[in-house]
Amino acid sequence: MIVTDWRGLPEQLRGAAVAIGAFDGVHRGHQAVIAEAREAARRLGAPLGVVSFDPHPRRWFQPDAAPFRLMTPGQMARAMEPLGVDILYLLPFDGGMAAMSDEAFARDVLSDGLGIRHAAVGFDFTYGKGRTGSPEGLRRQGEALGFTVSVADRIDDPDGLKLSSSAVREALKAGDMARAAAILGRPFAIEGEVVHGDKRGRTIGVPTANIPMGDYMRPAYGIYATRTRLPKNEKWDGRTFDGVASLGLRPMYALDQPLLEVWLFDFDEDLYGQTVETDLIAFLREEMTFDGLEALKVQIGADAAAARAVLATPAPPS
């Protein structure tokens, strides 16, 4: 369940043990914080909640920053379902929230509003105007307000892989999809509505589903092996199709804004207006220009063969 305010909540939506943070990506480090809250929820017999924000605080404070998000709110909610999260408190980050002191956030939002019984946070958690709040400060405030606090230590892979949203972005920028997936615990995925394009692909037998990038961070531009989940409705029931995709500005037929153009193998139905989610499994090559349409067709065939080969290879055990 997604709750979008902390004010005036009925009692059944209060009293949870919560994890607090931006949780962009819900990567394995975030999952450790949620696990702390889950243990407290089990101990207290309370619902398990997550407190996060929309828009991301960084977007509020840096409205002109380059796109940086790793997931949509819907993807965040779905990523939390297998973690046992009962309630996602996706609170509006606006001028009022930005101006709150750390004491006011703990008192007005966490205690009076959500009535939390426990808060789990990461080792580097900050909150309140000027980011003056700290895990230790929250623990003191919780003692006064009637909730307990636990702090998840920083965890890294045994091989030293840093588990953070910034590390995911670095991997995506480098086209290292395996490293991004290792941090996230799943492939990086872009979700969006299929829009009309110039339909040039159809003229060469390669119809694509075109998805604008929106506020997603821009991974390395180029060609990817992909898996796309269709809507979970009566027609498609969430079926997944392998494919190959171009992500970027398409230098041969230049675009103003980056676009994800996915060719779904063994699929030729109308997806316009539908929301689909595409996993970027592997980066195959950078963007290129070609002498003409025939050369492009030959390369697309080679890209499709490379994608099929990658997707036919079982993933290594995690």
Side-chain angles (χ1 to χ4, degrees), residues 27-278:
H27 56 65
R28 289 165 55 209
H30 294 149
Q31 293 168 30
V33 180
I34 295 171
E36 289 271 351
R38 185 168 59 245
E39 173 56 28
R42 183 199 61 76
R43 187 174 65 251
L44 296 168
L48 173 59
V50 168
V51 177
S52 193
F53 307 94
D54 187 39
H56 191 292
R58 179 172 164 187
R59 178 55 67 205
W60 171 264
F61 289 114
Q62 302 177 35
D64 298 324
F68 63 89
R69 291 303 300 262
L70 296 174
M71 57 175 26
T72 66
Q75 287 177 302
M76 179 184 290
R78 290 196 301 276
M80 290 178 179
E81 286 177 5
L83 304 179
V85 174
D86 300 303
I87 308 170
L88 171 57
Y89 298 100
L90 200 57
L91 305 183
F93 200 91
D94 52 18
M97 182 70 77
M100 274 190 189
S101 66
D102 53 67
E103 294 93 342
F105 178 77
R107 181 187 65 244
D108 298 346
V109 176
L110 299 181
S111 180
D112 294 349
L114 303 182
I116 69 167
R117 298 179 63 187
H118 181 87
V121 297
F123 69 97
D124 56 353
F125 177 68
T126 60
Y127 63 104
K129 184 179 180 181
R131 303 174 75 175
T132 53
S134 65
E136 188 52 45
L138 186 63
R139 183 175 279 124
R140 290 194 300 270
Q141 290 157 359
E143 289 174 358
L145 294 166
F147 59 85
T148 53
V149 174
S150 60
V151 182
D153 293 331
R154 171 174 171 167
I155 60 169
D156 291 311
D157 252 7
D159 62 1
L161 187 68
K162 184 181 179 183
L163 303 180
S164 70
S165 297
S166 60
V168 176
R169 295 187 185 99
E170 290 168 6
L172 295 176
K173 199 172 182 65
D176 191 340
M177 309 314 292
R179 179 157 54 104
I183 300 169
L184 290 167
R186 64 187 178 282
F188 172 71
I190 294 170
E191 181 178 64
E193 182 179 322
V194 178
V195 301
H196 289 272
D198 54 24
K199 299 181 173 61
R200 185 175 285 106
R202 290 193 174 276
T203 68
I204 57 173
V206 185
T208 58
N210 304 318
I211 300 107
M213 291 293 293
D215 201 33
Y216 280 104
M217 78 141 293
R218 294 355 184 188
Y221 288 169
I223 307 302
Y224 289 83
T226 61
R227 287 196 175 97
T228 298
R229 282 173 292 286
L230 301 190
K232 197 169 182 60
N233 55 24
E234 288 186 7
K235 184 174 184 180
W236 293 303
D237 193 30
R239 279 186 296 159
T240 299
F241 286 84
D242 290 353
V244 64
S246 167
L247 189 159
L249 295 171
R250 202 177 58 185
M252 188 167 174
Y253 301 103
L255 298 164
D256 293 331
Q257 295 293 328
L259 191 68
L260 179 67
E261 301 174 277
V262 189
W263 176 23
L264 279 64
F265 300 148
D266 309 313
F267 181 87
D268 189 18
E269 297 183 49
D270 184 352
L271 287 172
Y272 295 123
Q274 302 292 329
T275 296
V276 301
E277 185 178 37
T278 298

Side-chain angles (χ1 to χ4, degrees), residues 292-311:
L293 203 56
E294 196 57 40
L296 174 61
K297 285 173 62 176
V298 171
Q299 184 61 54
I300 290 173
D303 293 336
R308 288 182 187 274
V310 167
L311 297 168

